[in-house]
Amino acid sequence: MTSVGIFGSSGRMGQAIVVAIEGAGAAYAGGVDVGGDEAALAKVSDVIVDFSSPKALAAHLTAARIAKTPILIGTTGLDGSHQAMIDDAARDIAIIQAANTSLGINLLSALIEQATARLGADWDIEVLEMHHRYKVDAPSGTALLLGAAAAKGRGKSLPELSRFDRDGPRDEGSIGFASLRGGSVAGDHMVILATEGERIEFGHRAEDRGIFARGAVKAALWLSDKLPGRYTMADVLDL
């Protein structure tokens, strides 16, 4: 039985992951939070799931790396320096870094990439997301994931096409973002492709955090026996 440890176990996602581990028939190795013994947990876990905070990433990667324990990183709000840390650690351990672990969102991402690859720059792309009032980062990591998929379909990177602040007419081929915050929304995302006379809307609505927890555990179990390197949710789903 694969044992799964959690960094950030007392948070809402951490608690949901504990339930998902039991539901998947895996073993819960334990969890730690700020000030806990990450190294000890990494040693007794077959795989680690990290839904904590960007500032804790360096310590968590170090603990996983020393113990040679694969790690799934679901923490959002990571910047370029964090990505460099992950790239470096992936030389020694297997890592999945996922902005969203929902199986539905990751399938949606693949569909958006396919659609934008087949439609021209005259189709405008807008990414709309809404989350609960306590969410810190905006746009959400999932919105950026979907935007990156749209850009990839056009053979570009997201930084080349993204527009987060806009004044005046939109640039042809650009990808716009809008973020809404309020209430207890777990996560709503929509990608709109619009041209003269018609539009296509791709949407996903998260009704509870259980979908992210179940996806994270599925991915962690898949990752537990993989060789060092960076993997994605697309690898888990064979997309």
Side-chain angles (χ1 to χ4, degrees), residues 12 66 88 124 136 149 168 197 209 221:
R12 288 176 291 184
I66 291 172
D88 187 53
D124 302 321
V136 176
R209 289 180 179 80
L221 296 177

Side-chain angles (χ1 to χ4, degrees), residues 60-84:
H60 292 171
L61 285 174
T62 297
R65 202 170 183 177
I66 291 172
K68 302 294 184 183
T69 304
I71 183 170
L72 181 145
I73 302 165
T75 303
T76 58
L78 304 182
D79 60 23
S81 66
H82 296 116
Q83 299 300 336

